[in-house]
Amino acid sequence: MMNNQNRRWFCLAVFFISSTGMIWYYKTDPVIHRPIPARCPVQHACPYRISTETITPLNNTKHLLISAYMDRRVGGWDLRIIGIFRIDSIVPLRCVFCCGGHFVHGTLANIAPHAENYGFPFVTTDVMCRIPAGCDATHVTLSIHQCNVEAHQHTLLPIGNLESSGTEERKPQFNFTVCISTLFGNYNNVLQFTQTLEMYRLLGVDRVVVYNTSCGPDLERLLLSYSQEGLVEVVPWPIDKHLRPSRGWQHSQHGGDLHYFGQLTTLNECVYRYMDRSRYVLLNDIDEIIVPYRQNSLVSLMDELQQQQPTAGVFLIENHIFPWHHFEPSAKFHLPQWEGVPGINILEHIYREEPDRTIYHPHKMIVQPRMVEQTSVHEVLKSFGNTFKVPPEVCRIIHVRVALRAGLTIEQLHVDTRLWDFHEQLIPRVDKALRGIGMLRTKE
């Protein structure tokens, strides 16, 4: 268990010179409070344009705006805008609001690029705004100008989480939400994805959120089916229409404008999207399943962990690789009705690598979203509680993929049939889902 305040941070600083000759300095931590300039005159009849997109270019900049949410957990600020900023082009920005039909320029924003961007020129960025007194804000944007821009030149974002003040916790709609980012490259692993979704449903997950840049036609039909059912929310993520996203995690090796199709941005966006709607959020990839090993549901798991760790808001779950080139020898779950379905049958892969803990080994997370301010892929960057590393015998990630330690022989792997404990319920559910999109080879 570790307190987030004790973690060593890398502060990301940006210097630039404004047109007035003043030197500006922004830093991620701590929050910088600036003098509040005089308020601009009120303009009427807003908003002129409301963004209906998940990615909105910011006028006269190289930056992209993603979404805006009420958030009063950080003292002195009311609202958080999630964006993707070109780090060498950050300039002072003013928050602009639609207040009860009136268009109002607010005060200067606090710009906080996230500490992790793996060397890419674009970085996930939080922009904090103060809402003017007496303003019943419904929409917001940012402006590089002071007061001389007409309302019709702005595209505003709707403000999320307006039902709460951004400070108190409401009774959530869901117990568990899984945030999956990002789907790209015409991904079409239908069988594994169906098995994963149905496993999560058996474990008590209420909603799965998928940020979709591109997928194959079969998976697209499956996503549509699950969306109509209400299990899946598909968030369009056309990041490749705005930037050159990288297919890797490090700029020096993979190039591009932005880390891994904007994975860092979508994870943060999902936390805020479900902050008031879900008790817990699971942050992991499309080919991973967070599985408890002592209970048969995530509800039971988290009830026990929260009782043991009442101050924890972040629970790290260790990743365990099940190499897809090793098959269970009896082929008992090599089912004929799935032979024509593209993708991997995770029930056929029972051999588990033991992580090499002498080197860095990644985790994924279960978080209480109201206790998270900023997150990365494998750890939370800023939080309001403690972090607890869950022992692997209690819960682990089942991750069927290419081997991480390819030199291990099958005798050096561990037999792990945990997924088989669910097969009697899992197989009929998968069959039903595949039948619904016309993908079963034979009928039951």
Side-chain angles (χ1 to χ4, degrees), residues 27 69 73 87 109 120 156 177 180 255 305 346 371 389:
K27 188 167 92 171
Y69 295 96
R73 297 170 303 162
I87 199 159
F120 289 91
L156 287 94
T177 296
I180 294 175
L305 290 177
I346 59 178
M371 297 181 73
K389 188 178 292 187

Side-chain angles (χ1 to χ4, degrees), residues 223-390:
L223 289 173
L224 177 61
S225 175
Y226 277 119
S227 299
Q228 293 171 340
E229 186 181 337
L231 177 64
V232 169
E233 178 185 7
V234 178
V235 181
W237 187 246
I239 190 65
D240 53 346
K241 302 297 190 297
H242 302 274
L243 299 173
R244 294 180 299 110
S246 174
R247 290 177 176 265
W249 69 274
Q250 195 169 11
H251 182 260
S252 61
Q253 295 182 15
H254 305 283
D257 293 325
L258 182 68
H259 166 270
Y260 209 62
F261 279 76
Q263 179 185 38
L264 296 169
T265 306
T266 57
L267 288 174
N268 283 272
E269 206 285 331
C270 196
V271 166
Y272 281 87
R273 179 180 290 255
Y274 279 85
M275 185 165 286
D276 282 353
R277 300 168 63 190
S278 190
R279 184 181 174 200
Y280 294 101
V281 168
L282 285 65
L283 302 173
N284 60 291
D285 291 340
I286 197 168
D287 56 354
E288 299 170 340
I289 311 174
I290 295 176
V291 182
Y293 272 61
R294 292 178 179 173
Q295 299 91 358
N296 287 329
S297 77
L298 289 167
V299 175
S300 300
L301 170 71
M302 294 313 300
D303 285 348
E304 180 178 308
L305 290 177
Q306 289 284 196
Q307 186 176 11
Q308 297 171 357
Q309 306 291 330
T311 63
V314 177
F315 297 85
L316 300 180
I317 313 298
E318 191 172 71
N319 187 29
H320 288 254
I321 305 298
F322 290 64
W324 61 26
H325 67 279
H326 290 303
F327 289 83
E328 190 273 321
S330 75
K332 63 185 295 185
F333 290 115
H334 184 79
L335 305 181
Q337 69 266 31
W338 294 348
E339 289 182 1
V341 181
I344 296 166
N345 178 0
I346 59 178
L347 293 175
E348 293 187 279
H349 303 282
I350 62 170
Y351 297 104
R352 189 188 78 231
E353 292 184 13
E354 189 66 19
D356 182 358
R357 296 185 180 88
T358 64
I359 60 175
Y360 173 76
H361 185 67
H363 294 74
K364 295 297 173 65
M365 293 174 284
I366 301 175
V367 304
Q368 293 188 62
R370 292 216 59 80
M371 297 181 73
V372 173
E373 184 182 354
Q374 292 180 356
T375 189
S376 184
V377 179
H378 303 296
E379 63 179 356
V380 165
L381 300 178
K382 294 182 181 181
S383 70
F384 301 96
N386 293 322
T387 296
F388 177 69
K389 188 178 292 187
V390 180

Side-chain angles (χ1 to χ4, degrees), residues 8-19:
R8 180 186 177 196
W9 295 110
F10 294 93
C11 291
L12 179 60
V14 179
F15 293 87
F16 56 88
I17 301 176
S18 71
S19 59

